[in-house]
Amino acid sequence: MAKFIKSSTDETNWIHDTKKEICFVGRSNVGKSTLINTLANEKIAKTSNTPGRTQLVNFFDFGKFRIIDLPGYGFAKVNKNLKKYLDNRIWEYLEKRENLCAVFQICDSSVITEKDVEMALFLSNNYHNHFIILNKIDKQNKSFFDNNWRKISEYLNVEKEKLIPISSKNKININYLKQLIENTIKES
């Protein structure tokens, strides 16, 4: 049974053990918390329609591993000091966390921004296990991905196989994502 464990302001109050972790990183309001709730089959992460609500590093226990929800990057409507603080939390976790096995970057399937491209480039260059979840595909017509896989792959500069179209709302490819997470944890 999945559960929320804690929120952390910085490295000093992270959980310090050897349990493997995967993290979710993405723009503000892209659906990270909703996806965590879908994977857990219950509401364990707070969701909001207001961008920039996740402002801490959030730890969720999924039994054999943890999912970490990082603050959103990009268009969060916050002041400069808070934006810098949020960016620092993201980079601190990504650069220092030894438990990290894989990074799942979540992008809105209908709006991929330059910030998404920048993050994808950084993650591709620094993490072998970097996947991109194209979230909210229920808002696209069924042929959208068949017609645009190559363009999206080239735009984000990642292999086609690392793109995962998801709909938390309609549970499209959720079982595939669960299996991918489990396989990634076992292999690391």
Side-chain angles (χ1 to χ4, degrees):
M1 182 173 168
K3 65 180 179 179
F4 170 76
I5 304 170
K6 70 182 289 186
S7 294
S8 170
T9 54
D10 58 46
E11 181 184 7
T12 61
N13 57 11
W14 288 347
I15 296 170
H16 297 284
D17 62 14
T18 58
K19 188 177 258 192
K20 295 178 182 180
E21 296 173 349
I22 61 128
C23 78
F24 286 170
V25 62
R27 277 188 297 115
S28 297
N29 217 31
V30 76
K32 297 185 311 288
S33 298
T34 300
L35 182 56
I36 289 169
N37 290 337
T38 301
L39 291 169
N41 290 319
E42 63 181 299
K43 186 169 180 158
I44 61 172
K46 292 180 182 176
T47 59
S48 172
N49 288 328
T50 305
R53 288 293 183 215
T54 301
Q55 297 184 355
L56 302 170
V57 176
N58 294 304
F59 292 77
F60 297 90
D61 191 313
F62 275 74
K64 295 179 183 176
F65 63 93
R66 280 189 292 264
I67 292 179
I68 309 307
D69 183 13
L70 297 177
Y73 59 81
F75 66 89
K77 295 177 183 176
V78 295
N79 69 46
K80 274 187 188 177
N81 289 338
L82 182 54
K83 183 181 180 330
K84 184 175 180 180
Y85 171 83
L86 297 175
D87 287 345
N88 287 341
R89 296 300 64 79
I90 294 168
W91 298 118
E92 178 181 51
Y93 179 86
L94 291 174
E95 292 174 350
K96 294 183 177 180
R97 192 62 170 167
E98 292 179 11
N99 303 51
L100 183 60
C101 296
V103 179
F104 288 82
Q105 180 183 0
I106 303 175
C107 298
D108 186 321
S109 62
S110 54
V111 183
I112 299 173
T113 69
E114 282 298 317
K115 290 280 186 193
D116 292 322
V117 174
E118 290 171 18
M119 182 62 78
L121 181 63
F122 169 80
L123 295 172
S124 293
N125 288 333
N126 291 285
Y127 298 94
H128 169 69
N129 287 328
H130 164 233
F131 303 92
I132 295 181
I133 294 173
L134 299 170
N135 201 15
K136 304 180 184 180
I137 63 164
D138 50 281
K139 296 182 178 182
Q140 305 290 344
N141 64 45
K142 290 187 178 191
S143 64
F144 176 80
F145 291 100
D146 293 338
N147 296 332
N148 291 292
W149 276 110
R150 183 179 294 139
K151 288 179 190 174
I152 295 170
S153 173
E154 289 173 1
Y155 185 61
L156 291 169
N157 198 30
V158 297
E159 302 90 33
K160 191 170 105 172
E161 297 75 29
K162 295 208 173 196
L163 297 175
I164 308 160
I166 293 285
S167 168
S168 296
K169 179 181 174 183
N170 296 339
K171 295 190 166 66
I172 297 170
N173 288 333
I174 294 299
N175 287 334
Y176 172 76
L177 178 59
K178 286 179 180 179
Q179 191 62 55
L180 178 62
I181 291 170
E182 287 179 26
N183 291 344
T184 302
I185 293 296
K186 284 179 192 172
E187 292 168 7
S188 61

